[in-house]
Amino acid sequence: MNPVSTVPHGEPRAPTSPSPGFAFPARPVAFIQAPRRMLVATVAVGLVAQGLLDRASWGVSFPLVILATLGALVALGGREAWERARPNAWLLGPVLVIAGFVAVRDSPWLRTLNVLTTSWLMLLLMHFWGGGRVQRLGMGGYPAVVLSSVGRGLAYPRVLAREAMDLASPRKRLPLLVPVLRGLLFALPVLMVFGMLLGGADVAFAAALERVFDVDLGDFVAESLRRVLGWLLCAVAAAGLLGHALRRRSSGEAGDAEEAPSERWLGFTEALVLILAVNALFLAFASFQVQYLFIGGASSPAPGYSYSEYARRGFFELLAVTVMTLGLVMGLARWARRESPVARLLFQVGTSVMVALTLVIVVSAMKRLVMYEDVFGYTRLRIFSHVFMVLLGVVLTWRGVTLWWRPERFAMGAHVAALVAVMGVNVINPDALIVRYSQVESSQVPKGWVDTALLRTLSADAVPELMRLYAGTPLLESALPVEACPEMTWPEWSVSRARACAVFGGVLPSPTRD
C-alpha cells in the first residue's frame, strides 16, 4: 500500500532531486540551486560593496554596487529567471535612475532619500523577479512586500553557508594545525634574535625592519576587524537579496492576483451622511480661503497673525486635514456598501466633490508657505514640503480618477507618483534653488539681507550658483560652504563635487586614490 502524502493542501512540494540548469527553490528559504555559484557571487558582491561604500561619503560608488548586485542576479538566474522577471523589469528603470542620482547630487538630504528609495525598489524587484505583478498590490501591499522581503531574506545566508561549505573536513584537519602553531611559537624568539643581529649588520635592512614594525598593532587589528565585519555585512545582504529573488514562489504570494475586495460593513446611508457633512464643512472653509487668498490677492497674513504663525500653524493643520481626508476617501471606497447603480453614482459624486474641495485646501496650504518664503526665503525643509504637497495633490487627483475608472490601480499610481516626486526633487536641485532665491525683497528684513549662515551649510550642489550670483562681492567668502571642494577618492566622485572643484580650479579635479 502506497504511503499517503502528509503535505498540507496548497503547500509547495520540494523536488526529490534538483533539475539540471536553473530551477527555483521548492520552499521560500529551504533550498538554494547551485549554492557554490551563489556563494561566489555573494562573496564578490560583498567585497565590491565593502570596498566602494567604506568611505566618508558616497558618490559613484553606490550605483556601481547596485549594478554589481543586478549583474550577479542576472548571471545566476539565467534566461529562465529573466523570462519570469520581464513583466516587472520596468522597475530597473527607476532603480538605476534614482541610484544614479547619488553620483550626481551632493546634498545629504537627497543622498539619504535616494539611497532609501533605491533600497525600497530593490526589495520590490527581488520579490517580483520570479513572477507576479507589482501593479496588483494594494496600498498596504507595498510595505508588506518590502518587510516580507527583508524578513525572508535573512534566512538565506545561513542556508547558503550550510549548503555551499563543507565544514566537516576543516574540523577533521584542525588537530594537524596544533604542531604548526607550536613551531611558530618556538620560531618567534629565534627570529627576533636573528633580526636584531642582521639589522645591526646592515643599515638598510634595519630601516626596513623598523618600517615593518612601526605599526600600531591595536589600530591595525581594529581596522582589519572593521573591514571584515563590513564585508560580512555586505555579503549577508547580497545573499539575502539574491536568495529571495531566485526562490521558488509559493502559491498565493502578494502580487500573484488582484487584491481581493474587503468586506463592506459600513451602510450606504451612514457613508453618504458622513460624505455630505464633511463636504459642507470643506465648502465653508474653501469659500473663506478663495475669498482671502485668491480673489482678495492676499499679500500679508490674516489680522492678528505674524507671517511665521500664519504660515507654520496653517500649513501643518491643513497638511493633517489633507492626509486624513485621503485616508477617509480610501476607507469609504473600501468599506462602504453601495449595491444599486444609484448608490454607486451618489457615492462617486460625493467623494469626488470631497477630493475637489481637499485640493483647494492643498492649494491654500501651499499659498501660505509661498507667502512665508517670499519674506524669509527657501530652506531644504520648505522645498521638500512643497514637493510633498504637490505629491499629495497628484495622489488626491488620481484617487478622484480611480473612483470612476480602474479603482484597483490607485495604489500603483500613487507609488509611481512618489517615484516621480523623488526624481523631480533631484532635478530641482534644492541647494541651488535656495541660493537662487537667497535675496528677498521685503519690509520684514533689511534691504539686501542674505542668510549667509544658511548658505554655508549647503552642499557642493550650491557652489556653481553661488559663484554665478556672488562672484566678486564681499558676500562670497562668507557664503561659500565650509567644504566647497573636498578631497575625494574616486568612489566618492560625483557630478556636483566635480563641478564645484572645476569652479575653483578651472579644470576637473584629479581624484586622489587610496
Side-chain angles (χ1 to χ4, degrees):
M1 184 173 181
N2 295 329
V4 179
S5 173
T6 59
V7 178
H9 177 69
E11 184 73 13
R13 299 171 182 267
T16 56
S17 61
S19 57
F22 175 81
F24 286 96
R27 296 180 183 273
V29 296
F31 180 81
I32 294 180
Q33 179 70 23
R36 292 187 178 178
R37 289 179 58 206
M38 177 81 76
L39 181 63
V40 171
T42 55
V43 168
V45 173
L47 288 173
V48 170
Q50 196 280 330
L52 292 178
L53 300 182
D54 187 15
R55 310 283 162 170
S57 182
W58 292 352
V60 72
S61 56
F62 184 74
L64 288 178
V65 170
I66 296 298
L67 285 173
T69 305
L70 294 174
L73 177 61
V74 173
L76 286 171
R79 183 175 179 179
E80 181 181 347
W82 174 248
E83 290 298 324
R84 292 173 181 265
R86 283 179 62 183
N88 301 294
W90 64 269
L91 285 169
L92 289 170
V95 165
L96 296 176
V97 170
I98 296 174
F101 273 120
V102 178
V104 175
R105 298 297 178 212
D106 188 52
S107 167
W109 285 41
L110 287 180
R111 188 184 310 120
T112 302
L113 178 64
N114 292 332
V115 169
L116 291 177
T117 305
T118 303
S119 303
W120 174 279
L121 289 172
M122 284 290 286
L123 290 169
L124 284 176
L125 183 64
M126 297 303 109
H127 180 84
F128 288 102
W129 191 261
R133 298 291 187 276
V134 66
Q135 60 265 29
R136 292 172 180 164
L137 294 176
M139 282 300 292
Y142 286 94
V145 163
V146 169
L147 292 176
S148 172
S149 298
V150 172
R152 293 167 66 174
L154 291 176
Y156 281 99
R158 177 179 58 83
V159 177
L160 179 61
R162 185 185 66 223
E163 296 188 3
M165 296 185 291
D166 182 11
L167 299 179
S169 296
R171 279 197 293 265
K172 291 178 181 179
R173 294 183 173 89
L174 188 59
L176 301 177
L177 294 177
V178 176
V180 176
L181 295 176
R182 284 200 299 263
L184 290 175
L185 187 62
F186 294 148
L188 184 60
V190 176
L191 291 176
M192 291 179 62
V193 173
F194 285 168
M196 293 174 60
L197 294 174
L198 293 175
D202 188 282
V203 176
F205 185 72
L209 286 178
E210 186 176 351
R211 287 193 299 270
V212 169
F213 289 103
D214 189 20
V215 175
D216 190 324
L217 187 59
D219 290 345
F220 175 78
V221 172
E223 178 66 14
S224 300
L225 184 61
R226 186 185 65 82
R227 290 180 179 271
V228 170
L229 290 178
W231 163 72
L232 284 175
L233 180 62
C234 294
V236 165
L241 286 173
L242 298 176
H244 184 60
L246 299 177
R247 75 197 185 282
R248 180 186 292 276
R249 293 176 62 88
S250 58
S251 59
E253 287 198 25
D256 287 347
E258 297 289 349
E259 187 180 34
S262 61
E263 180 182 357
R264 293 180 176 176
W265 51 268
L266 183 62
F268 170 72
T269 302
E270 292 87 339
L272 186 61
V273 170
L274 175 59
I275 291 170
L276 293 177
V278 173
N279 284 350
L281 176 63
F282 283 5
L283 182 61
F285 180 81
S287 64
F288 280 93
Q289 299 305 294
V290 170
Q291 180 179 359
Y292 174 68
L293 291 175
F294 303 103
I295 296 178
S299 58
S300 62
Y305 289 93
S306 67
Y307 274 96
S308 177
E309 293 171 340
Y310 189 66
R312 290 179 180 176
R313 177 179 175 182
F315 176 81
F316 288 108
E317 269 82 357
L318 296 181
L319 175 62
V321 169
T322 302
V323 174
M324 292 170 64
T325 305
L326 178 59
L328 178 62
V329 173
M330 292 169 57
L332 290 173
R334 187 175 180 86
W335 295 311
R337 292 196 294 268
R338 42 195 187 276
E339 291 84 0
S340 66
V342 174
R344 286 193 292 271
L345 179 61
L346 288 175
F347 179 85
Q348 289 170 324
V349 171
T351 48
S352 296
V353 171
M354 186 184 296
V355 167
L357 293 173
T358 308
L359 288 174
V360 176
I361 294 176
V362 172
V363 175
S364 173
M366 293 186 65
K367 177 71 173 178
R368 294 164 187 259
L369 190 58
V370 168
M371 290 170 57
Y372 186 76
E373 290 165 342
D374 287 343
V375 176
F376 298 107
Y378 287 86
T379 64
R380 287 171 178 160
L381 180 59
R382 293 166 198 164
I383 293 174
F384 275 78
S385 298
H386 266 301
V387 174
F388 182 67
M389 292 304 293
V390 171
L391 173 61
L392 268 182
V394 171
V395 172
L396 274 168
T397 303
W398 178 242
R399 175 73 273 187
V401 171
T402 55
L403 289 170
W404 300 85
W405 176 79
R406 301 296 296 272
E408 72 279 4
R409 291 293 176 261
F410 168 69
M412 180 63 186
H415 190 254
V416 170
L419 296 180
V420 172
V422 172
M423 298 180 195
V425 76
N426 279 278
V427 172
I428 289 171
N429 191 0
D431 284 11
L433 192 66
I434 292 170
V435 175
R436 195 172 302 131
Y437 295 98
S438 56
Q439 292 182 337
V440 293
E441 299 293 336
S442 171
S443 59
Q444 304 292 319
V445 296
K447 184 177 178 62
W449 177 80
V450 175
D451 190 353
T452 55
L454 170 65
L455 299 184
R456 284 180 62 82
T457 65
L458 300 179
S459 66
D461 295 340
V463 171
E465 195 68 20
L466 280 168
M467 297 295 291
R468 185 182 69 84
L469 290 178
Y470 298 116
T473 69
L475 284 173
L476 181 61
E477 184 177 352
S478 58
L480 279 175
V482 176
E483 292 188 356
C485 179
E487 293 185 2
M488 57 183 173
T489 57
W490 74 263
E492 296 173 295
W493 184 93
S494 71
V495 173
S496 286
R497 292 177 196 144
R499 290 182 63 197
C501 293
V503 166
F504 289 100
V507 294
L508 289 176
S510 178
T512 60
R513 297 184 177 272
D514 292 340

